């Protein structure tokens, strides 16, 4: 809405400008134009300032939200930490209470002279106390072989220590003979144990095997050689090639042509040799020649 009003006002100012007929009208038009421009610049600056203020407000709001979230997160961490520490504290207090109660129970039982059921067995006290399990074992404990050695027989009770015959007194418990007695096994294997099993390696078979091995040992071994045996075959003699006989005139003409070819080849070889010899000399002459051109040397 403000932009539309500004556009209408600007159009009205432009329509109200006087025509440029003289100097006064030109000055008036220039002053009005400058006023319009100043108003436009002021409006633009105000618009920029409003945008900056809006951005600043948004930034402040965002920072406040971040601080609030950080504060909430910190409070949650502190609450969790406090909760954990309180749980540890309660656990330690409960443990201290349990240990204290256990120590009080131990002191009370010690004051009464009662020993716990899990204390180590004292043999002297067990023998001195007629109420111990040695004399009157409890049914809930049953009988165990580890306590059999503590049983005192009537024979040992009536025994009086003397120097003679001490080694003849049987001090072993009665159950030892029954426990160590070897009983006959009830397992019986089929057949008789003294039976000799049949085997294929009889005396004749072993003798025959011995003779064969002895014969193989005496047998001569063939010598190993790397030579290859070649079957001897007669090589036929090579036949000499023969040329069909011709006329004497043709033979003379053929020999003349061969001689002419030899002469031409020899002359050509001589010319090539002379050319190879003269080329370096020509190069030396061109180098030391007094007349020169841009492209090379020219002989007069």
């Amino acid at each position: 809405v403000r932009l539309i009003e500004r556009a209408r006002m600007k159009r009205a100012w432009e329509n109200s400008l006087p025509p440029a007929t003289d100097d006064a009208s030109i000055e008036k038009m220039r002053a009005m134009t400058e006023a319009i421009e100043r108003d436009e610049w002021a409006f633009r600056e105000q618009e920029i300032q409003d945008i900056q203020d809006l951005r600043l407000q948004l930034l402040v709001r965002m920072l406040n939200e971040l601080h609030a979230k950080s504060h909430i997160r910190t409070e949650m961490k502190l609450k969790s930490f406090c909760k954990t520490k309180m749980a540890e504290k309660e656990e330690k207090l409960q443990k201290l209470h349990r240990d204290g109660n256990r120590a009080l129970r131990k002191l009370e039982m010690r004051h009464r002279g009662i020993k716990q059921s899990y204390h180590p067995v004292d043999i002297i006290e067990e023998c001195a106390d007629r109420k111990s399990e040695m004399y009157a074992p409890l049914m809930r404990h049953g009988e165990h072989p580890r306590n059999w050695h503590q049983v005192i027989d009537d024979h040992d009770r009536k025994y009086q220590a003397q120097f003679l015959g001490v080694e003849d007194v049987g001090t072993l418990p009665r159950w030892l003979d029954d426990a160590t007695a070897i009983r006959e096994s009830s397992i019986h294997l089929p057949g008789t144990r003294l039976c000799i099993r049949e085997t294929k390696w009889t005396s004749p078979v072993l003798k025959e095997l011995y003779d064969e091995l002895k014969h193989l040992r005496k047998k001569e071994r063939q010598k190993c050689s790397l030579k290859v045996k070649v079957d001897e075959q007669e090589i036929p003699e090579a036949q000499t090639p023969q040329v069909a006989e011709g006329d004497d005139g043709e033979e003379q003409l053929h020999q003349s042509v061969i001689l002419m070819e030899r002469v031409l080849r020899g002359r050509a070889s001589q010319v090539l040799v002379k050319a190879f010899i003269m080329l370096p000399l020509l190069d030396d002459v061109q180098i030391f020649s007094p007349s020169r051109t841009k492209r090379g040397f020219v002989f007069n």
Side-chain angles (χ1 to χ4, degrees):
V1 177
R2 292 177 59 187
L3 294 176
I4 294 172
E5 291 179 355
R6 292 287 302 178
R8 289 176 180 175
M9 185 174 61
K10 185 177 180 181
R11 188 178 299 171
W13 282 358
E14 289 177 354
N15 294 330
S16 63
L17 289 175
T21 56
D22 52 357
D23 295 338
S25 60
I26 292 172
E27 289 294 333
K28 186 177 180 181
M29 184 176 63
R30 185 179 298 171
M32 292 179 67
T33 305
E34 291 178 357
I36 293 171
E37 289 179 354
R38 284 196 298 271
D39 186 69
E40 287 289 335
W41 280 109
F43 178 75
R44 182 60 181 165
E45 289 178 357
Q46 185 64 33
E47 189 177 11
I48 292 171
Q49 186 64 33
D50 294 340
I51 293 172
Q52 292 293 336
D53 294 340
L54 181 61
R55 288 181 178 178
L56 184 61
Q57 291 177 4
L58 292 175
L59 181 61
V60 171
R61 187 184 302 173
M62 185 176 64
L63 289 175
N64 292 332
E65 291 178 357
L66 289 176
H67 286 306
K69 290 181 180 179
S70 178
H71 184 67
I72 293 170
R73 193 182 300 110
T74 305
E75 288 183 354
M76 291 177 65
K77 287 183 179 180
L78 288 174
K79 288 181 180 179
S80 177
F81 184 75
C82 293
K83 187 177 180 180
T84 305
K85 290 299 179 182
M86 288 298 293
E88 292 179 359
K89 178 183 176 182
E90 292 294 333
E91 186 178 357
K92 289 182 179 179
L93 288 174
Q94 290 179 4
K95 185 178 180 182
L96 290 174
H97 289 314
R98 288 196 300 269
D99 294 343
N101 294 333
R102 187 182 297 111
L104 290 174
R105 287 197 301 269
K106 287 182 180 180
L107 290 174
E108 186 178 359
M109 293 176 69
R110 187 178 299 177
H111 180 69
R112 292 180 181 180
I114 301 173
K115 287 192 175 182
Q116 295 87 350
S117 60
Y118 49 84
H119 71 283
V121 179
D122 191 355
I123 298 175
I124 298 174
E125 292 184 0
E126 290 284 330
C127 294
D129 189 6
R130 294 290 179 176
K131 296 179 294 183
S132 64
E133 294 187 15
M134 181 180 292
Y135 301 100
L138 299 177
M139 292 299 295
R140 64 173 180 270
H141 293 168
E143 294 183 1
H144 198 276
R146 69 181 180 184
N147 298 326
W148 288 353
H149 68 282
Q150 299 178 2
V151 179
I152 301 175
D153 297 336
D154 296 336
H155 179 72
D156 296 334
R157 290 178 183 173
K158 296 178 181 179
Y159 172 73
Q160 295 179 359
Q162 296 178 2
F163 292 101
L164 298 176
V166 175
E167 64 276 3
D168 298 333
V169 177
T171 57
L172 295 176
R174 290 172 296 180
W175 55 266
L176 187 61
D177 295 334
D178 297 335
T180 57
I182 300 175
R183 299 177 182 178
E184 187 177 357
S185 178
S186 61
I187 301 174
H188 298 283
L189 297 175
T192 57
R193 298 185 182 180
L194 299 178
C195 178
I196 300 174
R197 296 182 180 180
E198 295 182 358
T199 178
K200 64 179 181 179
W201 300 107
T202 58
S203 298
V205 175
L206 292 173
K207 187 176 181 180
E208 185 178 357
L209 180 62
Y210 174 73
D211 294 338
E212 290 179 358
L213 293 174
K214 190 175 181 181
H215 179 69
L216 291 174
R217 187 175 181 182
K218 289 182 179 180
K219 189 176 180 180
E220 295 181 358
R221 298 180 180 178
Q222 296 180 358
K223 295 182 179 179
C224 181
S225 61
L226 299 177
K227 295 181 180 180
V228 181
K229 293 183 179 181
V230 181
D231 297 337
E232 296 181 358
Q233 297 179 359
E234 294 182 359
I235 300 173
E237 296 181 358
Q239 297 180 1
T240 304
Q242 296 180 0
V243 182
E245 296 180 358
D247 297 338
D248 295 338
E250 292 180 359
E251 183 67 23
Q252 188 176 3
L253 180 61
H254 182 67
Q255 294 295 333
S256 301
V257 171
I258 291 173
L259 179 61
M260 189 178 293
E261 287 180 357
R262 289 179 180 177
V263 171
L264 291 174
R265 287 178 181 175
R267 187 59 181 168
S269 300
Q270 291 177 0
V271 171
L272 288 174
V273 170
K274 288 182 180 180
F276 282 120
I277 293 172
M278 293 299 292
L279 283 175
L281 297 176
L282 291 174
D283 293 338
D284 296 338
V285 171
Q286 289 178 1
I287 291 170
F288 294 103
S289 177
S291 61
R292 297 181 180 178
T293 60
K294 292 182 180 180
R295 293 184 179 180
F297 301 97
V298 179
F299 295 98
N300 294 328

